[in-house]
């Protein structure tokens, strides 16, 4: 802690451990100012550049650039080093000024800069109260020594801290508060303390360890009200009997009889012995004969079947036999470090990604399983854009566990308006307080004693509840490894950090969005996961844990919405080849391999790669050949395609606990860690 009565400011300086990426990002979420200390020759190395990429993607608060050690260079090299450093800095920080930090006078100028510069706002923390812990203590409960009350001391920032709201401790989860105490401020900014000193620029440096010694004169500020306190319930407990059919009451039976009597009678010609119920299903003379068959196809079950999808993808992989092999290195020591199993898995991913780019969504029709069974959960659509699809149809069991807003946009506006207009009783911004957090595991304090910063955010209403989050992300240019859908990734979403297996889909304005099998680099995609509700705006970072334990940044973006009704539609394309071509007719083979499959998929429309559209007329023989009609003559090199669709849902793999990454491998060039200043 640094106190200055002349500048009327106090600072808390802290720095992250070298290579600890999560700590750097967590500190940047609560820091008022980041002080970047640059090397006088190189500025920063590859590790520092990676750190800057993550910070820029998350959102930088106010920052200052300083160079230390430049005066120690020879006079001739100082000018060249300054020019080279300016070019390096201009790429990342265009137009920003570099401050020197070698003398006492330059340090005073830096402090003036930190005290007077305009603060930049991070949207996700402006509407929430947050705290950087200066001290922490743990009181175990009587029943279990591993769980108890955690006392967190620090300055309240952002908004007024309400004791009845929930508290999110970054990296550990959501908790309730018992009470808020107001101890004596251990770092008072009192000008009278330094009046006797002659130097007006005199400052006082205090160690943060002194906080633990000042436990006297503590008064209780506010206690939690159990009736008004937010609940920790994260999921809905589904009732298995909720959808059961009950026996109708006498009133309902009488209403049904009255309704049937009031219905107009329709006279139909039906065969003898036909009941009233059977007559309802007989079409009039004007009715279309093909509706039943098309309706059956359109209303098939489309819940995802993982095992069947994988069998189709494996046969797709067997067609590709080309593979890229790098130059062999004649070094036995190099071969010992290569993980052959990991190399094989990565090669398979590259092959799948290349096949997906060349033949998007195309799969081979299996010969050992009937196509009507393999694709029984898919349906045909006349138009992907305009054909109707009910978002409440055939939902998975996990949807009974989540919460959904009737109107998410209006709820968000109402909560933000209440924050601006309503007066909340609690700890005001700038107060030094002690939070009593209940039911906290002792591991939180152990991490704090090991040097990991303890950061807490207050939650807005409903932000502890699980729902479906949609995030728009773009691929990071520094990572080129293929990332497949449903792989476990690490998310930094606003103030939260968690693991989940997302789905990828196209970012469009339509009501249906096509599923993407890989995270592509040429366009922005929407990532969908089960996660706690978070009100946007909020930045999003996606990391992938490598085999060596390091976390690599693969994508960055922002939170789009909390909407379980956003439909992600998976498409598979069956392909066939024209065998005999007539004027507008053609015999197509190799799309199906038996007569029953042709009859089953007869209502689905066909298209070709050259833009023709058509329908199946009739099957020919028993080997899957079929006669098809098109709106024009086909070319012999054209390919006949059939599109089938089903809705897919993310997996419930949410895990709030993220393992600590292996520290980055540092290069020979020195790169100082960013210093974080909390004014």
């Amino acid at each position: 802690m640094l106190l200055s009565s002349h500048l009327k400011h106090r600072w808390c300086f802290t720095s992250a451990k070298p290579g600890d990426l999560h700590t750097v990002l967590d500190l940047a979420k609560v820091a008022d100012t980041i002080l970047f200390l640059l090397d006088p020759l190189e500025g920063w190395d590859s590790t520092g550049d990676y750190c800057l990429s993550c910070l820029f993607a998350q959102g930088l608060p106010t920052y200052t650039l300083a160079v230390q050690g430049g005066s120690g260079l020879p006079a001739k090299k100082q000018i060249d080093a300054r020019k080279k450093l300016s070019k390096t800095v201009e790429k990342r920080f265009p137009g920003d000024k570099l401050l020197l930090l070698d003398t006492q006078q330059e340090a005073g100028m830096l402090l003036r800069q930190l005290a007077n510069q305009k603060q930049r706002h991070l949207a996700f923390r402006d509407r929430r109260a947050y705290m950087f812990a200066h001290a922490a203590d743990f009181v175990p409960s009587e029943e279990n020594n591993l769980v108890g009350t955690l006392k967190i001391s620090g300055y309240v920032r952002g908004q007024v801290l309400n004791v009845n709201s929930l508290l999110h401790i970054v990296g550990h989860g959501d908790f309730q508060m018992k009470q808020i105490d107001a101890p004596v401020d251990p770092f008072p900014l009192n000008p009278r303390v330094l009046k006797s000193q002659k130097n007006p620029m005199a400052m006082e440096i205090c160690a943060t360890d002194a906080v633990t010694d000042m436990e006297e004169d503590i008064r209780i500020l506010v206690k939690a009200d159990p009736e008004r306190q937010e609940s920790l319930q994260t999921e809905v407990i589904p009732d298995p009997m909720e959808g059961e059919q009950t026996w109708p009451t006498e009133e309902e039976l009488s209403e049904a009889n009255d309704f049937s009597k009031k219905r107009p009678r329709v006279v139909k010609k039906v065969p003898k012995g036909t009941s009233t119920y059977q007559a309802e299903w007989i079409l009039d003379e004007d009715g279309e004969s093909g509706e039943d068959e098309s309706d059956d196809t359109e209303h098939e079950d489309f819940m995802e079947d993982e095992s069947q999808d994988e069998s189709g993808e494996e046969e797709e992989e067997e067609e590709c036999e080309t593979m890229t092999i790098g130059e062999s290195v004649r070094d036995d020591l190099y071969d010992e470090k290569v993980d052959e199993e990991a190399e094989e898995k990565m090669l398979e991913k590259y092959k799948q990604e290349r096949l997906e780019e060349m033949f998007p969504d195309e799969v081979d029709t299996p010969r050992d399983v009937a196509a009507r069974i393999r694709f029984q959960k898919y349906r045909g659509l006349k138009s992907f854009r305009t054909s109707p699809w009910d978002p409440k149809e055939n939902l998975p069991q996990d949807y009974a566990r989540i919460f959904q807003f009737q109107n998410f946009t209006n709820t968000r506006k109402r909560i933000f308006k209440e924050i601006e207009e309503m007066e909340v009783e609690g700890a005001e911004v700038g107060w030094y307080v002690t939070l009593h957090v209940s039911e906290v595991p002792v591991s939180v304090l152990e991490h704090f004693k090991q040097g990991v910063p303890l950061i807490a955010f207050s939650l807005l209403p409903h932000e502890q509840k699980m729902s479906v989050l949609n995030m728009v992300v773009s691929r990071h240019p520094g990572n080129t490894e293929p990332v497949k859908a449903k792989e476990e990734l690490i998310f930094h979403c606003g103030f939260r950090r968690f693991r989940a297996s997302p789905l990828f889909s196209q970012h469009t304005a339509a009501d249906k969005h096509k599923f993407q099998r890989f995270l592509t680099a040429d366009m922005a995609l929407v990532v969908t996961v089960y996660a706690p509700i978070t009100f946007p705006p909020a930045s999003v970072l996606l990391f992938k844990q490598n085999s060596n334990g390091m976390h690599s940044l693969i994508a960055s973006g922002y939170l789009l919405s909390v909407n379980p009704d956003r439909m992600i539609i998976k498409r598979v394309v069956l392909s066939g080849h024209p065998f005999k071509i007539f004027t507008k007719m053609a015999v197509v083979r190799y799309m199906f391999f038996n007569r029953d499959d042709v009859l089953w998929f007869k209502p689905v429309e066909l298209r070709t790669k050259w833009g023709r559209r058509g329908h199946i007329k009739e099957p020919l023989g028993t080997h899957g050949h079929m006669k098809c009609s098109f709106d024009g003559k086909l070319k012999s090199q054209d390919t006949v395609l059939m599109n089938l669709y089903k809705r897919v849902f993310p997996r419930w793999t949410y895990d709030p606990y993220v393992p600590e990454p292996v520290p980055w491998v540092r290069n020979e060039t020195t790169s100082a860690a960013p210093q974080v200043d909390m004014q």
Side-chain angles (χ1 to χ4, degrees):
M1 292 293 295
L2 181 62
L3 309 179
S4 172
S5 60
H6 179 74
L7 297 176
K8 297 181 180 180
H9 265 75
R10 58 185 168 195
W11 296 270
C12 170
F13 289 92
T14 183
S15 61
K17 293 181 180 179
D20 192 351
L21 177 62
H22 288 330
T23 301
V24 172
L25 295 176
D26 290 343
L27 289 175
K29 294 173 184 176
V30 295
D32 295 316
T33 302
I34 296 184
L35 174 61
F36 291 106
L37 296 179
L38 307 183
D39 183 79
L41 295 177
E42 301 295 335
W44 54 78
D45 57 6
S46 60
T47 301
D49 191 69
Y50 177 64
C51 175
L52 288 174
S53 298
C54 297
L55 288 173
F56 273 100
Q58 178 178 267
L60 269 181
T62 308
Y63 61 88
T64 300
L65 306 175
V67 184
Q68 195 171 25
S71 60
L73 298 174
K76 295 182 179 180
K77 290 186 177 181
Q78 286 186 13
I79 300 176
D80 296 337
R82 198 171 300 170
K83 290 181 180 179
K84 184 179 179 181
L85 184 60
S86 298
K87 291 181 180 179
T88 304
V89 172
E90 189 69 21
K91 297 178 182 178
R92 283 284 190 182
F93 306 95
D96 288 328
K97 184 180 179 182
L98 277 171
L99 299 179
L100 300 178
L101 192 58
D102 289 325
T103 63
Q104 188 72 22
Q105 184 179 3
E106 292 169 351
M109 293 178 61
L110 175 62
L111 287 177
R112 286 183 181 275
Q113 170 77 7
L114 296 177
N116 299 326
Q117 64 183 350
K118 185 178 179 180
Q119 294 293 313
R120 301 172 67 178
H121 295 281
L122 295 181
F124 73 90
R125 74 181 187 187
D126 285 346
R127 296 181 176 90
R128 300 173 177 87
Y130 58 94
M131 175 185 290
F132 174 81
H134 290 269
D137 190 17
F138 183 79
V139 179
S141 62
E142 297 178 357
E143 296 83 7
N144 189 358
N145 293 331
L146 300 179
V147 178
T149 300
L150 182 67
K151 298 180 181 180
I152 306 174
S153 300
Y155 293 95
V156 179
R157 310 306 308 271
Q159 295 287 336
V160 178
L161 181 58
N162 186 3
V163 70
N164 294 318
S165 62
L166 297 181
L167 195 71
H168 176 79
I169 300 178
V170 177
H172 299 282
D174 305 333
F175 304 95
Q176 288 181 331
M177 290 180 283
K178 289 182 178 179
Q179 68 182 43
I180 299 178
D181 296 342
V184 177
D185 190 346
F187 312 111
L189 190 61
N190 190 356
R192 292 175 296 179
V193 175
L194 301 175
K195 268 187 176 180
S196 59
Q197 299 185 5
K198 298 180 181 180
N199 186 5
M201 285 295 293
M203 301 181 188
E204 181 181 357
I205 299 176
C206 304
T208 55
D209 298 338
V211 179
T212 57
D213 300 332
M214 306 183 68
E215 294 290 340
E216 52 188 31
D217 296 335
I218 295 178
R219 63 185 179 89
I220 298 176
L221 191 64
V222 62
K223 286 189 175 184
D225 185 0
E227 295 181 357
R228 300 172 56 189
Q229 196 170 25
E230 288 281 345
S231 171
L232 283 172
Q233 182 184 4
T234 60
E235 302 176 16
V236 178
I237 302 175
D239 184 5
M241 304 298 293
E242 187 175 1
E244 290 295 319
Q245 178 69 39
T246 57
W247 188 259
T249 61
E250 294 182 359
E251 296 179 358
E252 292 174 341
L253 289 174
S254 61
E255 288 178 3
N257 292 331
D258 295 341
F259 178 75
S260 62
K261 292 177 182 179
K262 294 178 182 178
R263 289 181 59 186
R265 298 291 181 179
V266 179
V267 179
K268 293 183 180 180
K269 290 183 179 181
V270 296
K272 289 183 179 181
T274 304
S275 65
T276 305
Y277 175 77
Q278 291 171 334
E280 293 288 344
W281 291 90
I282 297 177
L283 299 176
D284 296 334
E285 293 179 356
D286 298 334
E288 297 179 3
S289 61
E291 286 183 357
D292 292 343
E293 195 169 8
S294 62
D295 287 346
D296 290 342
T297 306
E298 289 186 358
H299 291 82
E300 291 171 356
D301 185 12
F302 53 86
M303 292 296 296
E304 185 174 12
D305 190 344
E306 294 297 332
S307 62
Q308 293 179 352
D309 285 350
E310 291 175 1
S311 64
E313 291 173 3
E314 287 175 1
E315 294 200 11
E316 181 185 358
E317 296 167 9
E318 292 174 0
E319 287 188 0
C320 182
E321 295 179 356
T322 59
M323 54 188 292
T324 304
I325 303 176
E327 295 182 0
S328 59
V329 181
R330 297 180 178 178
D331 188 357
D332 296 337
L333 297 177
Y334 180 81
D335 291 337
E336 291 178 357
K337 300 178 181 179
V338 175
D339 188 352
E340 295 184 1
E341 185 177 353
E343 290 286 321
E344 287 294 328
K345 290 182 180 179
M346 188 58 63
L347 177 60
E348 288 298 322
K349 283 187 181 180
Y350 276 111
K351 289 167 64 178
Q352 293 178 19
E353 186 181 37
R354 192 176 306 155
L355 277 173
E356 183 66 22
E357 292 176 359
M358 296 172 62
F359 309 102
D361 301 325
E362 287 194 31
V363 298
D364 293 333
T365 306
R367 305 191 65 173
D368 56 341
V369 181
R372 62 185 181 278
I373 298 175
R374 167 64 180 86
F375 303 109
Q376 63 183 344
K377 299 182 180 180
Y378 290 80
R379 65 176 68 177
L381 294 178
K382 177 70 175 177
S383 170
F384 182 79
R385 184 177 63 87
T386 61
S387 295
W389 199 311
D390 186 5
K392 303 296 185 183
E393 179 185 356
N394 288 336
L395 298 177
Q397 189 66 28
D398 288 336
Y399 264 52
R401 303 166 57 186
I402 64 173
F403 291 85
Q404 181 179 6
F405 296 99
Q406 188 173 3
N407 191 320
F408 176 74
T409 304
N410 289 349
T411 304
R412 173 177 169 270
K413 289 181 180 179
R414 177 181 57 80
I415 291 176
F416 286 177
K417 187 176 181 180
E418 291 176 356
I419 294 173
E420 296 174 357
E421 297 179 356
M422 291 183 62
E423 294 183 0
V424 181
E425 295 182 359
E428 297 288 340
V429 177
W431 288 5
Y432 185 85
V433 298
T434 299
L435 309 180
H436 293 247
V437 189
S438 58
E439 301 297 327
V440 180
V442 69
S443 58
V444 178
L445 182 65
E446 293 174 355
H447 280 82
F448 180 71
K449 290 181 177 180
Q450 294 173 3
V452 179
L454 184 59
I455 296 170
F457 278 84
S458 67
L459 298 183
L460 300 180
H462 311 297
E463 283 196 327
Q464 79 279 14
K465 300 173 181 176
M466 295 291 292
S467 189
V468 177
L469 269 61
N470 303 301
M471 316 167 190
V472 179
V473 299
S474 299
R475 190 71 187 264
H476 183 63
N479 188 285
T480 57
E481 291 186 2
V483 180
K484 200 173 181 180
K486 303 172 189 172
E487 283 189 28
E488 186 181 82
L489 301 177
I490 298 170
F491 287 75
H492 281 250
C493 180
F495 54 88
R496 290 189 184 273
R497 186 169 69 233
F498 57 88
R499 290 184 295 171
S501 301
L503 293 181
F504 305 138
S505 60
Q506 293 180 351
H507 183 33
T508 60
D511 62 335
K512 296 182 287 294
H513 311 273
K514 195 172 85 66
F515 170 75
Q516 296 290 117
R517 289 176 171 82
F518 289 90
L519 184 62
T520 56
D522 55 346
M523 62 179 177
L525 297 179
V526 176
V527 174
T528 303
V529 293
Y530 290 113
I533 295 170
T534 303
F535 290 102
S539 60
V540 174
L541 299 181
L542 267 65
F543 293 88
K544 183 179 179 182
Q545 185 167 352
N546 301 330
S547 57
N548 57 2
M550 297 179 64
H551 294 175
S552 57
L553 178 66
I554 61 172
S556 61
Y558 61 92
L559 179 61
L560 176 64
S561 64
V562 180
N563 183 17
D565 286 343
R566 188 179 186 275
M567 292 186 291
I568 303 174
I569 308 300
K570 183 176 183 179
R571 182 184 72 171
V572 296
V573 180
L574 306 182
S575 59
H577 303 277
F579 178 48
K580 295 179 182 179
I581 300 175
F582 304 98
T583 306
K584 288 189 177 181
M585 303 286 291
V587 177
V588 180
R589 60 179 178 177
Y590 302 147
M591 182 177 288
F592 304 108
F593 297 100
N594 61 72
R595 184 183 183 90
D596 293 336
D597 286 344
V598 178
L599 293 172
W600 181 268
F601 290 99
K602 185 179 178 181
V604 183
E605 188 182 27
L606 301 175
R607 67 178 182 90
T608 70
K609 288 189 175 181
W610 286 32
R612 296 297 181 191
R613 291 185 175 273
H615 289 277
I616 300 174
K617 279 291 185 183
E618 58 181 355
L620 300 176
T622 60
H623 295 283
H625 291 208
M626 54 189 182
K627 185 190 293 186
C628 306
S629 63
F630 295 91
D631 57 359
K633 188 175 182 179
L634 274 92
K635 302 292 184 182
S636 59
Q637 63 270 31
D638 204 350
T639 305
V640 181
L641 305 175
M642 177 184 288
N643 294 340
L644 300 174
Y645 304 92
K646 75 170 180 178
R647 185 179 177 184
V648 292
F649 301 90
R651 295 176 180 173
W652 192 291
T653 57
Y654 171 79
D655 187 359
Y657 304 104
V658 178
E660 296 182 4
V662 175
W664 307 319
V665 179
R666 301 178 64 85
N667 295 345
E668 294 180 358
T669 307
T670 58
S671 176
Q675 306 291 315
V676 182
D677 160 37
M678 280 162 245
Q679 298 178 6

